[in-house]
Amino acid sequence: MKSALVYLLMTRLKAQLKELVRKPARIVYLVLVVALFAVALLGGGGDGGAARDARELPALAGAFYGLMFVILVGAGFKNGASMFTLADVNLIFPAPIRARAALYYGLFRQFGASLLLGLFLLFQYGWLHSLYGVGVGVLILIVALYGVSVFLAQVVAMAAYSLTSMSPRRRTLAKGLVYGVLGAFAAAVVARAALAPGGLTLASLVDAADSPLFHLMPVAGWTAAILSGAMTGDFAMLGAYAALTAAFLAAVVVLIARYDHDYYEDVLRTAEISHSAITAQKEGRVADSAPANVKVGKVGLGGGWGASAVYFKHRLEDRRARRYLLSPTSLVFAAIVIGFAFFMRENGALPVFLMAVYMQMFAEALSRFGRELTKPYIYLIPESSFAKLLAALRQSVAGGLAESVVVFVPAGLILGLDAGMIAALVFARWSFTLVYNADTVAEMRLFGGVSSKFLTMVFYLLLMLLIALPGMAAAIALGALGYAEALCYAALGLLNIPMSLLALFLCRDMLQCAELN
C-alpha cells in the first residue's frame, strides 16, 4: 500500500518534469524567477552591517507566522483543510489503502505546497539585508519557517474540523481554547513591555519578544525562537524549539489518525469547494464569497438607474455579507501596516507608505471590482462603457478612502506626523485604489488571454508602474528640489487620479464585448 503511494508521488514528479520539457514557456518562467531573485540578491549587497536591532526580525517574523496560523486555523473551523484534491478523492479514497497511509500522503504533499507558498519571501532580501544584516542562509530559514507555520496551520485546521464539525458547542469551546491561549500569550508579552521601566516602547517590546515568555507561545514564539537561535548562533535554543515544534506536529497528526480513521468525510466538502473554485477560475468565473447563512432582510436595490445600479448592487451585497466599507482582510492588512509603522517609526514615513501601497496591492486583488468585470450584468446595461466602469468603482473608491484613514491616522500618530502630512499620506494611498483598479482593467484588456499566473502578475506590476510613473516622477523631482514632503505625496496622488482615469478610458471598449475579458 505504501509502495502504491510512493509510486503515485514519483509518477506525479515525472509528469511535472515532462511538462517542463514539453512546455518551454515554463522554463522561461523559471529563468525569470531566478533572474528576479538574483537582482534582489545583488541589489541587497553591501557590508551586511545591521542598521537596526537584529532582535526585531525574529519578533516581526514570529508575529507574521502567528497571524497566518490564526487566519488559517480560523478558516479550518468552518471548512477544514484542503490537503486533498478531488482527484485524490476519486483515486485514493476508494483504493484499498489504509486511511492512515493516505493521510501521511496528503500531509507530505501539503508540506511541499506550504514551502512553495513562502517563495515570495525570497524577494524581500534587499531590505532585510540592509536593515538587519541577514544572509542568504537566514533568508532561506525564514522561507522554511513560513512553510512550517502554514503547514502546521493546515494540520491543526484539519484536526479542528474533524473534532468539532459535528458539534457547534465543541467548536465554540475549541475556538475559545485556541484564541484564548494565543491571546493570553500576546497580552502577557505586551503587558511585560508596558511594565518595563521606560513603559511601552519599541525597545521594551523587542525585549519582551526576545524573552522565554514569547518563545513559549505556540507556533509564533517557537518559530521566532528558532530564527533567533540561528541568527545568534544559539544552537541549543534552535534545537529545543525545533524539537518542540516537531513534537506538536506529531501529536496533532497522531490525534487525527487515532481519533477518527474515517476522516475522509471531513475533507470531501473542502476538496469539492476547492475543485469548484479552480474550475470556475479556469472558465473565467469568479464567485463572491458570502456567509453560509445570509440574512436577506430588505429586498431590492433601493436606488440606482442605469450604470449607477451597479453601485447599489454592491452596497446590497456588502450588507448581506455583513461587510461595511472594510472587509476582514482589509483590516488585517491595515493592522500589519500599523504594526510595521511601530517598528519603523525612526525611519520616517516613506517605508510605511511603501509598505501600505504594497499591502494594498493584495487587498485590491481581492476586491469586488475585478470580479464584477467577469459577470454578464455589467455588459448588458445600456450605458457607455466608461460610465459603467466608474459606477463599478464607486464602492471600491469609498472603501479605499476608509481603509487609508484607518491605516494612516494611527500610523501617522505613531510616526509623530502633523495633520497635513497625515492627510497627504491618506490622499496618496487612496489614489492607489484608482491605480490598482485601472491596472486591473488594463491588464484584462491587453493580456486577458494569458493563462500563466506568473506572466499575469508581471504584466500587472509593469502596468501599475506605468500608470503611477508620472506621479512618482513628480514626487521625486519635488523632493529633490527641497519642497515639503507632504507636497510630494500630494503631487503623487493628484497625478495618479488623471492617469488612472485615462487608463480606464482607453480600455473602456472591453465592456463592448465580453470576449475581450
Side-chain angles (χ1 to χ4, degrees):
M1 289 183 286
K2 291 183 180 179
S3 61
L5 294 176
V6 173
Y7 171 78
L8 181 59
L9 281 172
M10 297 304 297
T11 302
R12 288 176 61 90
L13 179 60
K14 291 178 183 178
Q16 291 174 356
L17 292 176
K18 288 180 180 179
E19 283 292 313
L20 192 65
V21 175
R22 292 172 182 172
K23 296 182 179 180
R26 297 192 177 185
I27 300 179
V28 175
Y29 307 154
L30 182 62
V31 171
L32 285 175
V33 171
V34 174
L36 289 174
F37 176 62
V39 170
L41 192 65
L42 295 175
D47 56 6
R52 299 182 61 86
D53 187 355
R55 296 181 304 162
E56 294 177 5
L57 182 56
L60 280 172
F64 178 60
Y65 298 152
L67 178 64
M68 292 299 300
F69 180 81
V70 170
I71 292 174
L72 293 175
V73 172
F77 279 108
K78 297 179 181 179
N79 303 318
S82 55
M83 291 187 180
F84 296 93
T85 64
L86 199 60
D88 295 328
V89 171
N90 295 327
L91 179 64
I92 297 176
F93 288 9
I97 296 175
R98 290 183 304 165
R100 193 174 301 171
L103 172 63
Y104 297 151
Y105 165 81
L107 293 174
F108 182 81
R109 281 189 53 200
Q110 183 60 40
F111 183 68
S114 300
L115 287 177
L116 289 176
L117 287 176
L119 289 181
F120 74 95
L121 293 172
L122 292 175
F123 302 101
Q124 313 305 315
Y125 177 78
W127 70 271
L128 288 175
H129 180 76
S130 61
L131 290 181
Y132 300 109
V134 302
V136 178
V138 174
L139 180 66
I140 293 175
L141 179 60
I142 292 174
V143 174
L145 289 176
Y146 176 81
V148 169
S149 64
V150 172
F151 179 63
L152 281 172
Q154 291 282 356
V155 175
V156 173
M158 184 175 181
Y161 186 79
S162 299
L163 298 176
T164 65
S165 60
M166 301 301 294
S167 173
R169 181 173 177 273
R170 188 182 295 177
R171 183 184 302 122
T172 302
L173 291 175
K175 282 184 178 180
L177 178 63
V178 173
Y179 297 150
V181 170
L182 296 177
F185 271 102
V189 171
V190 174
R192 173 171 177 167
L195 294 174
L200 184 60
T201 62
L202 178 60
S204 65
L205 195 58
V206 171
D207 290 337
D210 194 37
S211 66
L213 176 63
F214 178 65
H215 290 165
L216 289 174
M217 182 177 179
V219 182
W222 302 343
T223 51
I226 294 172
L227 181 59
S228 178
M231 293 177 63
T232 60
D234 189 347
F235 296 107
M237 181 171 68
L238 186 154
Y241 284 99
L244 180 60
T245 304
F248 175 74
L249 173 62
V252 177
V253 172
V254 170
L255 179 64
I256 297 173
R258 293 190 177 277
Y259 175 77
D260 183 8
H261 285 286
D262 191 19
Y263 63 87
Y264 291 159
E265 293 294 333
D266 298 330
V267 301
L268 282 176
R269 180 172 177 268
T270 306
E272 290 173 357
I273 292 174
S274 300
H275 180 76
S276 299
I278 293 172
T279 303
Q281 189 174 18
K282 289 180 179 179
E283 296 176 356
R285 298 180 290 104
V286 182
D288 284 325
S289 59
N293 300 317
V294 178
K295 295 182 179 180
V296 176
K298 180 183 176 182
V299 296
L301 296 182
W305 181 263
S308 63
V310 178
Y311 167 68
F312 288 93
K313 168 179 172 288
H314 291 168
R315 290 181 56 181
L316 177 65
E317 290 171 346
D318 279 347
R319 178 176 62 79
R320 291 184 174 178
R322 296 188 287 276
R323 283 188 299 232
Y324 304 97
L325 282 182
L326 296 184
S327 65
T329 304
S330 297
L331 292 175
V332 170
F333 288 155
I336 292 174
V337 176
I338 293 171
F340 184 80
F342 184 80
F343 279 91
M344 302 294 293
R345 58 184 176 180
E346 298 175 1
N347 296 81
L350 182 59
V352 180
F353 179 76
L354 294 177
M355 182 66 175
V357 172
Y358 177 71
M359 298 303 297
Q360 187 181 10
M361 178 177 65
F362 299 100
E364 295 299 334
L366 301 173
S367 68
R368 176 184 286 106
F369 179 72
R371 298 195 300 270
E372 189 65 44
L373 301 181
T374 65
K375 298 178 180 178
Y377 316 111
I378 195 169
Y379 297 89
L380 302 177
I381 298 174
E383 289 263 10
S384 69
S385 298
F386 189 57
K388 290 189 286 186
L389 287 174
L390 294 181
L393 266 175
R394 285 180 62 181
Q395 189 72 352
S396 296
V397 167
L401 179 59
E403 188 176 341
S404 299
V405 172
V406 170
V407 168
F408 274 109
V409 170
L413 294 176
I414 292 173
L415 296 172
L417 306 177
D418 57 31
M421 184 63 177
I422 293 176
L425 289 170
V426 169
F427 177 65
R429 202 262 187 190
W430 169 79
S431 70
F432 274 91
T433 303
L434 291 173
V435 170
Y436 283 123
N437 284 292
D439 186 13
T440 299
V441 174
E443 187 274 325
M444 285 183 173
R445 177 64 184 90
L446 298 176
F447 306 106
V450 178
S451 59
S452 167
K453 292 182 180 180
F454 177 76
L455 280 182
T456 299
M457 180 58 68
V458 170
F459 295 144
Y460 184 84
L461 292 174
L462 290 177
L463 289 172
M464 185 273 291
L465 292 174
L466 182 63
I467 295 172
L469 184 61
M472 291 189 293
I476 294 173
L478 290 174
L481 293 174
Y483 286 91
E485 191 176 2
L487 183 61
C488 299
Y489 287 108
L492 171 64
L494 282 173
L495 287 176
N496 279 344
I497 294 174
M499 289 299 298
S500 302
L501 294 177
L502 177 62
L504 289 172
F505 182 79
L506 293 177
C507 299
R508 68 193 184 282
D509 60 346
M510 68 171 293
L511 292 186
Q512 299 293 334
C513 180
E515 283 72 18
L516 289 178
N517 183 355

